[in-house]
Amino acid sequence: MKTLLTKATWIFSLTVLLFSCGGGDKKKDTTAELISETSKTKTLDIEKPQLTFGFIKLTDMAPLAIAKEKGFFEDEGLFVSVEAQSNWKNVLDRVIDGQLDGSHMLAGQPIAAGAGFGRQAELVTPFSMDLNGNGITVSNDVWSKMKPNVPKDADGKPVHPIKADALKPVITEYKNSGKAFKMGMVFPVSTHNYEIRYWLAAAGIHPGMYTAENVQGQIDAEVLLSVTPPPQMPATLEAGTIYGYCVGEPWNQQAVFKGIGVPVTTNFDIWKNNPEKVFVMTKKFVEDYPNTAVAVTKALIRAGKWLDDPKNRPEAVKILAMSQYVGAPEEVLANSMTGTFEFEKGDKREMPDFNVFYKYNATYPFYSDGIWFLTQMRRWGQIPEAKTAEWYGETIKDIYRPDIWTKAAKLLVEEGNIPAGDIPTTDGYKPATADFIDGTTYDAKDPISYINSFKIGNKDKAVQ
């Protein structure tokens, strides 16, 4: 609202000034041009202008903060409140129950809700919030034991990516001393859970299985994974409750700054340019308020584009540091938001794609991204029974909504806010890729073969 009022006040004041100076016709033309320039957004007929969105205090909530602070929501005729939530379960429940109109959410949450794991609901995502952005951090003690197992470069620095092979003897040492090896992740259907499982399993370390009766996911586990809310990760590590964790920023860099742990890998190395968070609304919301859903998506796409301009990142850091958003110190946020990432204290490396909000078609909700999560749910037993290959594609098409994204993007092209070339020509599937830490090829159009390619996890026969 503040942005709109400021614009309106500025135009009105300028109009008064122009007319008080005489030369009416010329000044009328100038004023009309100014108003036209300021109002180039093609405002839709908004069915629900007052909206409340949720988020968790993580760097990747940035598109919501930017869309609000830079006036992109208001340009669309939307008046949005953005409210921090306590944990991911609360986020899910409040969206389903209608207390929130939409939210920053784990990519796996709307998928699980539609696929039969956890609370069931019809949720949709028209917008992918970012790529990458997570890390795996271990305690100082664990790192001191891992480090001798990590290859070094000519300068004596660890060679990245660091695989979980370096952790395997440490886990054995803990086991032989009678201590279970405990690590944290943020939610059972989080990217973090699947990434840390992928990283461990690629080194032959069993992260545990889920069953319909055992939803802890610790059957046959060599590492006991448990849920810890993101902002509590550093304190839980420091207390010794867990020996490592997988979380989004700024909570890996916070461990570095506090001197309590060392990030050993990022999800960019586990799966290059992987999808992370999504923006989620209920299916009923987008059916009842279709123009509002498109307008929200427009504002978020603009925010993503703004964020991926490197010159805007310092301002983004200042905005995210505000207490109503992430609330972490600027220097902690800047460590990953401005193109670098610090591993061991003092070992800061260039990582320009650690946080991606727009390039590489980051905002487009690709079916293939969603299907990857379904394959992991099946691999680890959260989906307890084998499914047909067709089921994977059919299920994700009810949840991921590129049609809404495309409507929004085409309007942004007409307005001149994004170039036409930023709309991908796609059937919703990315090409097969082997950009994983173990080099395994993922083809979303052949999900069963992908599931069967792993040594650890469920195996499926083709279901007719």
Side-chain angles (χ1 to χ4, degrees), residues 8 22 39 57 73 85 122 162 261 275 283 326 337 351 356 358 367 393 400 414 424 434:
S39 308
K57 291 196 169 196
F73 283 136
Q85 307 297 305
E122 292 184 311
I162 294 174
K283 183 180 179 183
V326 181
M337 274 287 281
M351 199 167 284
V356 173
Y358 186 77
Y367 298 139
Y400 274 38
E414 289 177 28

Side-chain angles (χ1 to χ4, degrees), residues 326-344:
V326 181
E330 287 183 31
E331 60 269 24
V332 175
L333 288 161
N335 236 20
S336 62
M337 274 287 281
T338 53
T340 61
F341 190 87
E342 191 166 11
F343 291 94
E344 195 172 13

Side-chain angles (χ1 to χ4, degrees), residues 172-454:
T172 301
E173 181 183 329
Y174 273 63
K175 182 180 178 181
N176 291 342
S177 65
K179 294 166 70 175
F181 198 88
K182 298 174 288 184
M183 299 186 82
M185 46 81 183
V186 308
F187 203 66
V189 296
S190 66
T191 319
H192 319 75
N193 186 24
Y194 304 127
E195 286 167 352
I196 196 169
R197 285 171 173 272
Y198 198 104
W199 183 68
L200 292 167
I205 302 165
H206 202 310
M209 299 293 293
Y210 293 86
T211 65
E213 296 74 32
N214 188 320
V215 295
Q216 300 304 311
Q218 296 181 348
I219 295 172
D220 297 328
E222 295 174 81
V223 171
L224 299 181
L225 295 171
S226 59
V227 171
T228 301
Q232 295 174 27
M233 286 289 193
T236 309
L237 183 74
E238 189 171 19
T241 308
I242 54 177
Y243 308 130
Y245 55 70
C246 184
V247 74
E249 282 307 307
W251 309 116
N252 296 288
Q253 295 301 283
Q254 186 77 294
V256 178
F257 271 77
K258 293 183 74 173
I260 60 170
V262 176
V264 292
T265 193
T266 72
N267 61 342
F268 179 85
D269 288 325
I270 296 170
W271 176 14
K272 182 180 176 182
N273 290 332
N274 66 92
E276 179 45 34
K277 302 298 189 307
V278 291
F279 184 78
V280 176
M281 297 174 277
T282 63
K283 183 180 179 183
K284 185 178 188 306
F285 183 97
V286 301
E287 288 175 347
D288 290 350
Y289 313 119
N291 288 344
T292 305
V294 172
V296 169
T297 307
K298 284 179 67 186
L300 291 173
I301 292 171
R302 285 184 69 191
K305 187 172 188 296
W306 185 92
L307 276 160
D308 263 10
D309 185 335
K311 74 174 185 294
N312 292 333
R313 287 295 179 97
E315 183 182 350
V317 165
K318 289 183 181 298
I319 290 170
L320 292 174
M322 295 163 67
S323 60
Q324 67 266 41
Y325 297 124
V326 181
E330 287 183 31
E331 60 269 24
V332 175
L333 288 161
N335 236 20
S336 62
M337 274 287 281
T338 53
T340 61
F341 190 87
E342 191 166 11
F343 291 94
E344 195 172 13
K345 187 69 176 174
D347 184 6
K348 186 179 284 193
R349 307 196 182 200
E350 295 296 316
M351 199 167 284
D353 286 344
F354 180 77
N355 284 121
V356 173
F357 295 99
Y358 186 77
K359 60 184 176 180
Y360 313 133
N361 301 124
T363 64
Y364 187 93
F366 285 96
Y367 298 139
S368 48
D369 288 346
I371 289 172
W372 187 84
F373 289 96
L374 288 172
T375 67
Q376 300 310 292
M377 290 173 190
R378 174 60 193 142
R379 179 184 181 186
W380 302 116
Q382 291 173 330
I383 296 172
E385 297 173 351
K387 304 290 186 180
T388 65
E390 292 74 23
W391 177 87
Y392 288 86
E394 290 165 0
T395 299
I396 210 63
K397 286 176 183 177
D398 288 335
I399 302 161
Y400 274 38
R401 295 291 301 274
D403 57 314
I404 297 173
W405 184 96
T406 301
K407 286 180 186 176
K410 284 181 176 177
L411 287 170
L412 291 172
V413 170
E414 289 177 28
E415 296 164 2
N417 282 314
I418 67 170
D422 287 357
I423 298 179
T425 302
T426 178
D427 60 356
Y429 288 80
K430 293 177 182 175
T433 177
D435 281 335
F436 290 84
I437 199 162
D438 59 355
T440 299
T441 297
Y442 167 57
D443 181 353
K445 293 184 176 180
D446 191 5
I448 294 173
S449 293
Y450 181 63
I451 292 166
N452 290 340
S453 68
F454 298 106

Side-chain angles (χ1 to χ4, degrees), residues 143-160:
W143 174 241
S144 70
K145 293 177 168 71
M146 282 181 69
K147 197 172 180 181
N149 309 321
V150 177
K152 309 292 191 297
D153 64 18
D155 297 323
K157 288 186 175 182
V159 174
H160 284 266

